[in-house]
């Protein structure tokens, strides 16, 4: 009887598994064909062209990729004509002779190229440096240059700074004359060094990696460094299984403060007057390693500028500090009830000005500050976002900046280049095409290279006049080759949770897309408030296509709380990182109403780091909407994270919001319904795996099923075979649990 029952059970399991449809192996083939290494300059060519400016300011050179190979081109300002940088056939012949192997002119094995003179270049091939003489195309072997450290050498070369016994010293070069500058250095209170984010120490009391860091003033009279105070700093711990010769794990430790900690690494700015040995410290609050005091030398001797963002990121200061008189003058102070994120400034001392970007008036705009009287002026105004100051031309009294969303009808994520006068007048658009522009200014400030595109519009790379944006000539143009009918993602808009704000996203369909079918939805997420996911340019067009090839419609969306829009838009994420997925759900539902081929009852989600928090949070906070999630290297409880990220976006001091938005808190409530895979690198010193283990503990105690994969030797980013293994696991997890098909493991054999 028992044998009959066991046989019947085996038959049910066996035939039940075989009754489930197995994925078509061609899906893996198609997915693999859209991995970066199989697309970049293999299916999509010259999606972004990097310019290299001649050192003598006479032109620019670049590499253009085509299906027939890669070619080196140049444009000289004298005639503005695109022409080969050299004779590719003659260089191939010269390389073939010196390397004793066949070299193709269409695939020159040049790893590094320096255009030193018009008739003499330096290049590296197969790891060996050569000098190329264009007259005769002769290659001379160069001896590898010894890596001589210039670190610590004064600008005039007279002094060299160094550390000894944790103190800062200087030595007069070429002599034995030395002076000790700092006197109270000791282990864990160290001068001339810095805090290393990835510094791992062996055991509890191991030595940390050596670091040296100083800055000299241009007049050689002052030396700037930090005293790094680790005496009371807390540590985090890891177990290292990666040493094959050992049969027990090694304990690794590293200094890392968590939100609210007072036991952190502190960085104390210190200045030394070289001739007198005088030590000067600004009278400022102690700065932790997450809110260090930054310094910039003034053009005026013995004057520096210091800027500080307070703990909690709600107060921004800029100071002018006189090293002789030790007078500290506050030039600027900004305060926010939420957080100050993305504040930046540049000096224009010859004009007596400082220019800064701030969100304080609702949008990130450009301001000037007079250095003599601290008078502030807003130079730009409008509902658009300035991303960066690209150049300040003090002679012409112009500022060049990249901004998005200013032009009517433009996508708020597409950046364009503008110029404006120091007075705030004569605002000029220099890149009129309604696309995203990635620009590179020439060092002399006369021209710029512009790669402009959208996710659906192939890149055009042009050389422009910085004065008016006029196109001088086209350098290259991206195009597709053997892409198998592939089309770029579809850009969509939706209405956010406030009922009025337009949010943006994109979705990728399989190349064999059939609108009569119903497709499960797979979302990639990263709601980190410091960035966006919207694919801006053609270089990101194939980004998530490999997942679509497995039989999903894949999407990304930037909801309220992400960056690059208004300050009010940004503020939705403050103390509310767990709520950022609400707009994603709304967008998917709106798309479901629009497209019958979207199955909104089968929605999966995946993300890494902050996106890993999102993915697990999706299943725990919205269990009736999201069905499957893969969460990798996630910060599941912000109280266990590095202090910077949570204190910036969840606030400081630590309050109840941390507990309420913790995935661990939600897991303990037993809310998990769907299929969840937790993944973490065992040696992750950026996001310690402890929170993943704590989440697993909570799920076990709540009696909820889940899956877990630990990659023992991996850090925050997975590498090599580990990355390929994880990628396959992630693909198969969604194939099995979201698509409902039996996955394959040896997918390489399907190629």
């Amino acid at each position: 009887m028992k044998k009959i029952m066991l046989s019947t059970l085996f038959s049910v399991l066996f035939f039940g598994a075989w009754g489930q449809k197995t994925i078509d192996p061609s899906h893996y083939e198609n997915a693999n064909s859209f991995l970066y290494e199989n697309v970049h300059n293999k299916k999509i060519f010259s999606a972004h062209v990097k310019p290299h400016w001649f050192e003598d300011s006479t032109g620019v050179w670049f590499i253009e990729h085509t299906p027939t190979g890669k070619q080196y081109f140049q444009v000289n300002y004298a005639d503005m004509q695109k022409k080969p940088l050299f004779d590719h056939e003659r260089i191939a012949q010269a390389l073939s002779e010196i390397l004793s192997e066949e070299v193709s002119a269409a695939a020159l094995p040049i790893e590094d190229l320096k255009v030193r003179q018009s008739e003499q270049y330096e290049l590296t091939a197969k790891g060996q440096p050569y000098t190329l003489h264009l007259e005769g195309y002769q290659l001379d072997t160069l001896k590898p240059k010894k890596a001589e450290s210039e670190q610590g050498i004064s600008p005039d070369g007279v002094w060299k700074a160094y550390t000894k016994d944790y103190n800062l010293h200087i030595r007069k070069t070429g002599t034995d004359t030395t002076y000790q500058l700092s006197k109270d250095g000791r282990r864990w209170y160290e001068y001339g060094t810095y805090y290393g984010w990835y510094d791992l120490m062996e055991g509890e009391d191991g030595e940390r990696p050596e670091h040296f860091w100083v800055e000299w003033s241009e007049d050689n009279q002052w030396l700037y460094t930090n005293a790094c105070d680790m005496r009371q700093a807390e540590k985090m711990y890891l177990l290292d299984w990666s040493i094959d010769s050992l049969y027990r794990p090694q304990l690794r430790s590293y200094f890392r403060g968590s939100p609210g900690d007072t036991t952190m690494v502190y960085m104390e700015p210190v200045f030394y007057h070289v001739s007198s040995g005088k030590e000067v410290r600004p009278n400022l609050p102690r700065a932790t390693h997450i809110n260090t005091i930054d310094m910039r030398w003034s053009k005026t001797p013995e004057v520096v500028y210091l800027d500080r963002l307070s703990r909690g990121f709600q107060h921004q200061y800029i100071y002018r500090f006189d090293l002789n008189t030790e007078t500290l003058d506050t030039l600027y102070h900004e305060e926010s009830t939420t957080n100050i994120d993305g504040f930046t400034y540049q000096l224009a001392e010859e004009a007596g000005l400082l220019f800064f970007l701030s969100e304080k008036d609702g949008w990130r705009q450009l301001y000037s500050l007079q250095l003599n009287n601290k008078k502030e002026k807003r130079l730009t105004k409008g509902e658009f976002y300035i991303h960066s100051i690209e150049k300040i031309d003090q002679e012409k009294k112009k500022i060049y900046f990249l901004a998005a969303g200013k032009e009517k009808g433009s996508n708020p994520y597409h950046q364009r280049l503008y110029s404006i006068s120091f007075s705030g007048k004569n605002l000029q658009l220099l890149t009129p095409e309604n696309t995203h522009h990635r620009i590179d200014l020439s060092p002399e400030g006369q021209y710029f290279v512009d790669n402009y595109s959208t996710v659906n519009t192939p890149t055009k790379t042009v050389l422009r006049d910085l004065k008016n944006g006029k196109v001088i000539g086209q350098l290259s143009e991206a195009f597709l080759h053997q892409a198998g009918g592939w089309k770029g993602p579809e850009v969509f808009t939706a209405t956010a949770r406030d009922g009025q704000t337009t949010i943006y996203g994109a979705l990728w369909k399989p190349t064999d897309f059939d609108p009569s079918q119903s497709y499960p939805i797979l979302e990639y997420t990263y709601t980190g408030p410091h960035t966006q996911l919207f694919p801006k340019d053609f270089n990101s067009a194939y980004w998530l296509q490999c997942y679509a090839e497995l039989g999903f419609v894949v999407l990304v969306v930037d909801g309220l709380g992400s960056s690059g829009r208004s300050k009010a838009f940004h503020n939705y994420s403050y103390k509310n990182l767990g709520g950022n997925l609400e707009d994603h759900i709304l967008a998917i539902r709106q798309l479901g109403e629009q497209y019958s081929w979207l199955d909104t009852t089968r929605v999966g989600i995946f993300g890494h780091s902050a996106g890993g928090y999102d993915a697990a949070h999706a299943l725990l906070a919205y269990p009736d909407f999201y069905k499957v999630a893969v969460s990798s290297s996630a910060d599941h409880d912000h109280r266990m994270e590095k202090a910077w990220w949570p204190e910036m976006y969840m606030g400081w001091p630590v309050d109840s919001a941390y507990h309420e938005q913790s995935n661990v808190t939600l897991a303990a409530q037993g809310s998990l319904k769907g299929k969840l895979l937790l993944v973490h690198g065992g040696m992750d010193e950026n996001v310690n795996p402890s929170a993943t283990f704590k989440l697993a503990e909570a799920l076990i105690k709540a009696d909820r099923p889940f899956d877990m994969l630990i990659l023992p030797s991996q850090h925050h980013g997975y590498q090599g075979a580990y990355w390929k293994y994880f990628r396959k696991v992630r693909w198969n997890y969604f194939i099995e649990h979201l698509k409902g098909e039996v996955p394959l493991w040896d997918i390489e054999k399907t190629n």
Side-chain angles (χ1 to χ4, degrees):
M1 183 65 179
K2 288 183 180 179
K3 290 184 179 181
I4 296 174
M5 290 180 65
L6 287 173
S7 177
T8 303
L9 178 60
F10 176 79
S11 299
V12 170
L13 292 174
F14 182 82
F15 289 110
W18 277 99
Q20 190 178 5
K21 179 184 176 183
T22 300
I23 187 171
D24 186 334
S26 66
H27 288 305
Y28 289 114
E29 295 177 30
N30 294 338
N32 280 319
S33 73
F34 278 99
L35 297 176
Y36 174 84
E37 60 267 25
N38 295 325
V39 174
H40 182 66
N41 289 327
K42 292 182 179 178
K43 289 185 178 182
I44 297 180
F45 292 85
S46 298
H48 178 80
V49 174
K50 181 181 178 181
H52 305 268
W53 304 97
F54 291 163
E55 292 181 355
D56 59 1
S57 299
T58 59
V60 61
W61 68 271
F62 56 96
I63 301 173
E64 185 176 42
H65 292 268
T66 69
T68 58
K70 66 177 181 179
Q71 281 190 294
Y72 293 76
F73 288 99
Q74 63 177 315
V75 172
N76 290 296
Y77 299 155
D79 57 15
M80 291 298 180
Q81 298 298 310
K82 176 182 174 181
K83 53 191 175 184
L85 181 62
F86 42 62
D87 187 320
H88 291 66
E89 293 289 348
R90 295 188 69 181
I91 286 189
Q93 183 179 355
L95 284 170
S96 296
E97 293 174 1
I98 204 164
L99 295 174
S100 300
E101 62 180 69
E102 186 69 26
V103 172
S104 168
L108 296 173
I110 296 175
E111 298 147 12
D112 187 29
L113 176 65
K114 295 181 177 64
V115 181
R116 296 298 190 191
Q117 303 172 15
S118 58
E119 297 299 321
Q120 184 174 302
Y121 300 163
E122 287 184 12
L123 60 88
T124 301
K126 304 290 185 178
Q128 174 63 51
Y130 301 94
T131 297
L132 170 67
H133 304 277
L134 291 184
E135 184 179 355
Y137 280 81
Q138 178 182 340
L139 285 171
D140 292 336
T141 302
L142 288 173
K143 291 182 179 180
K145 296 179 181 178
K146 292 183 179 180
E148 296 183 2
S149 173
E150 296 297 318
Q151 199 171 25
I153 301 290
S154 60
D156 61 6
V158 173
W159 296 98
K160 179 177 177 63
Y162 65 98
T163 57
K164 180 182 178 182
D165 298 330
Y166 308 112
N167 280 300
L168 186 63
H169 299 248
I170 54 173
R171 176 187 294 114
K172 199 164 189 178
T173 55
T175 74
D176 294 328
T177 303
T178 63
Y179 298 98
Q180 182 174 339
L181 298 178
S182 65
K183 303 296 192 295
D184 59 339
R186 55 195 182 279
R187 191 185 187 207
W188 306 134
Y189 188 79
E190 304 171 7
Y191 287 84
T193 187
Y194 58 88
Y195 167 81
W197 189 260
Y198 298 105
D199 286 353
L200 288 178
M201 297 167 281
E202 185 176 334
E204 175 61 44
D205 197 40
E207 294 292 331
R208 74 187 189 102
E210 290 187 7
H211 301 296
F212 178 75
W213 178 81
V214 295
E215 280 191 30
W216 284 90
S217 62
E218 288 187 15
D219 64 1
N220 309 288
Q221 293 301 305
W222 289 90
L223 193 60
Y224 171 63
T225 189
N226 278 308
C228 185
D229 186 356
M230 299 162 280
R231 291 171 295 182
Q232 303 299 320
E234 296 275 7
K235 291 179 179 177
M236 288 188 178
Y237 301 92
L238 298 164
L239 287 175
D240 186 358
W241 290 273
S242 65
I243 304 172
D244 292 337
S245 60
L246 297 179
Y247 298 98
R248 63 180 65 190
Q250 281 195 341
L251 176 67
R252 301 287 184 177
S253 61
Y254 59 103
F255 291 115
R256 189 62 50 83
S258 296
D261 283 356
T262 56
T263 49
M264 297 180 70
V265 175
Y266 286 87
M267 306 298 291
E268 303 173 5
V270 191
F271 297 86
Y272 291 99
H273 188 244
V274 175
S275 58
S276 68
K278 178 184 178 182
E279 180 182 281
V280 176
R281 297 178 184 240
N283 184 23
L284 290 171
R286 295 185 80 203
T288 72
H289 70 272
I290 65 166
N291 63 311
T292 55
I293 296 169
D294 294 323
M295 186 280 300
R296 306 183 195 191
W297 297 105
S298 170
K299 297 294 183 183
T300 303
E302 297 155 349
V303 172
V304 299
Y305 295 90
L306 305 171
D307 62 278
R308 178 174 71 90
L309 191 52
S310 67
R311 186 88 184 260
F313 305 99
Q314 293 181 302
H315 293 269
Q316 175 74 57
Y317 300 90
I318 302 176
Y319 309 96
R320 181 167 46 205
F321 185 46
D322 190 308
L323 297 172
N324 267 343
T325 64
E326 300 186 36
T327 303
L328 190 69
D329 183 22
T330 302
L331 293 177
Y332 179 79
H333 173 220
E334 180 177 321
E335 183 177 2
S336 175
T337 57
T338 54
N339 59 1
I340 298 173
D341 193 11
F343 181 94
T344 186
Y345 77 96
Q346 291 190 29
L347 291 164
E349 285 190 296
E350 293 174 11
L353 293 169
L354 175 154
F355 297 99
F356 65 92
L357 298 178
S358 172
E359 290 183 304
K360 65 181 180 178
D361 286 341
W363 292 82
R364 195 171 192 234
Q365 296 292 298
L366 176 65
Y367 299 79
S368 68
L369 185 74
Q370 293 187 23
L371 295 173
N372 59 348
N373 59 18
K374 307 176 190 177
K375 185 177 179 181
E376 181 183 316
K377 182 176 182 180
R378 181 171 177 165
L379 302 183
T380 59
K381 188 174 183 178
E383 295 184 353
F384 63 96
Y385 187 94
I386 297 181
H387 284 266
S388 59
I389 298 172
E390 292 295 311
K391 177 182 174 62
I392 296 174
D393 189 330
Q394 297 191 63
E395 182 180 343
K396 297 178 181 177
K397 292 182 168 49
K398 273 189 174 183
I399 309 159
Y400 299 87
F401 61 89
L402 284 169
K406 185 183 184 306
E407 308 306 316
K408 186 177 180 181
S410 65
N411 185 300
Y413 296 101
H414 289 162
Q415 299 177 28
R416 303 199 210 185
L417 184 66
Y418 297 83
S419 67
I420 196 170
S421 69
F422 281 9
S423 65
K425 297 179 181 179
N426 303 317
L427 178 64
Q428 184 179 12
L429 173 63
L430 299 173
T431 50
E433 296 84 3
N434 190 11
T435 61
H436 180 65
H437 295 258
R438 296 175 62 181
I439 62 103
D440 191 298
L441 302 177
S442 64
E444 79 282 353
Q446 190 175 356
Y447 304 101
F448 68 99
V449 168
D450 179 14
N451 284 272
Y452 68 90
S453 66
T454 72
V455 76
N456 300 118
T457 308
T459 310
K460 286 188 178 180
T461 306
V462 297
L463 180 67
R464 294 183 186 264
D465 191 325
L466 187 59
K467 179 175 60 180
N468 51 26
K470 180 181 177 181
V471 174
I472 297 170
Q474 182 167 310
L475 306 185
S476 183
E477 185 171 5
F479 57 93
L480 298 174
H481 177 70
Q482 294 182 348
W486 172 79
K487 296 180 181 178
E490 177 182 333
V491 173
F492 67 84
T493 60
T495 303
R497 74 193 92 160
D498 63 359
Q500 57 185 18
T501 303
T502 299
I503 57 177
Y504 289 73
L507 53 85
W508 285 257
K509 305 172 188 173
T511 50
D512 61 355
F513 175 74
D514 181 353
S516 68
Q517 301 296 314
S518 180
Y519 290 88
I521 301 165
L522 187 55
E523 179 188 351
Y524 173 65
T525 180
Y526 189 97
T527 64
H530 62 297
T531 189
Q532 317 96 33
L533 287 184
F534 181 83
K536 304 176 185 66
D537 58 18
F538 196 63
N539 204 31
S540 55
Y542 55 87
W543 174 29
L544 293 171
Q545 187 62 39
C546 62
Y547 292 90
E549 294 305 304
L550 297 172
F552 305 100
V553 170
V554 188
L555 67 83
V556 295
V557 62
D558 287 313
L560 297 175
S562 53
S563 69
R565 307 284 292 272
S566 69
K567 175 60 174 170
F569 190 105
H570 203 185
N571 279 345
Y572 272 88
S573 60
Y574 189 66
K575 290 183 177 289
N576 187 37
L577 292 180
N580 285 348
L581 290 168
E582 291 182 27
D583 291 321
H584 298 217
I585 295 171
L586 287 174
I588 292 171
R589 284 175 172 161
Q590 291 171 44
L591 288 169
E593 293 174 357
Q594 184 178 356
Y595 300 120
S596 60
W597 37 265
L598 283 177
D599 185 353
T600 58
T601 67
R602 291 187 293 163
V603 181
I605 187 169
F606 69 99
H608 189 80
S609 194
Y613 165 81
D614 294 338
H617 198 81
L619 257 64
L620 294 165
Y622 309 100
D624 294 325
F625 186 80
Y626 290 100
K627 300 301 191 294
V628 184
V630 176
S631 166
S632 54
S633 296
D635 48 336
H636 293 292
D637 190 312
H638 297 114
R639 291 168 294 190
M640 303 176 67
E641 245 279 68
K642 52 186 175 288
W644 162 68
W645 168 273
E647 290 189 11
M648 169 66 84
Y649 299 113
M650 289 295 293
W652 178 81
V654 173
D655 59 16
S656 60
Y658 282 76
H659 177 76
E660 293 164 1
Q661 296 184 46
S662 166
N663 287 343
V664 178
T665 301
L666 293 176
Q669 297 169 0
S671 60
L672 180 65
K673 292 182 180 179
K675 293 292 297 183
L676 172 63
L677 172 60
L678 301 177
V679 184
H680 219 113
M683 291 298 294
D684 189 344
E685 68 276 79
N686 185 40
V687 176
N688 193 281
S690 55
T692 289
F693 289 123
K694 201 170 187 69
L695 176 58
E697 280 281 293
L699 290 168
I700 291 168
K701 290 177 181 178
D703 195 29
R704 306 310 303 156
F706 68 99
D707 298 302
M708 176 179 280
L709 170 64
I710 300 299
L711 303 170
S713 64
Q714 294 302 285
H715 297 263
H716 195 55
Y718 315 149
Q719 303 293 321
Y722 298 90
W723 164 245
K724 293 179 180 178
Y725 185 91
F726 166 64
R727 182 175 63 202
K728 187 159 55 171
V729 168
R730 185 163 60 184
W731 283 2
N732 283 348
Y733 204 76
F734 288 115
I735 289 168
E736 180 178 1
H737 300 297
L738 187 63
K739 196 179 178 187
E741 295 181 347
V742 177
L744 302 175
W745 184 253
D746 295 326
I747 60 176
E748 292 79 7
K749 296 178 181 179
T750 67
N751 294 337

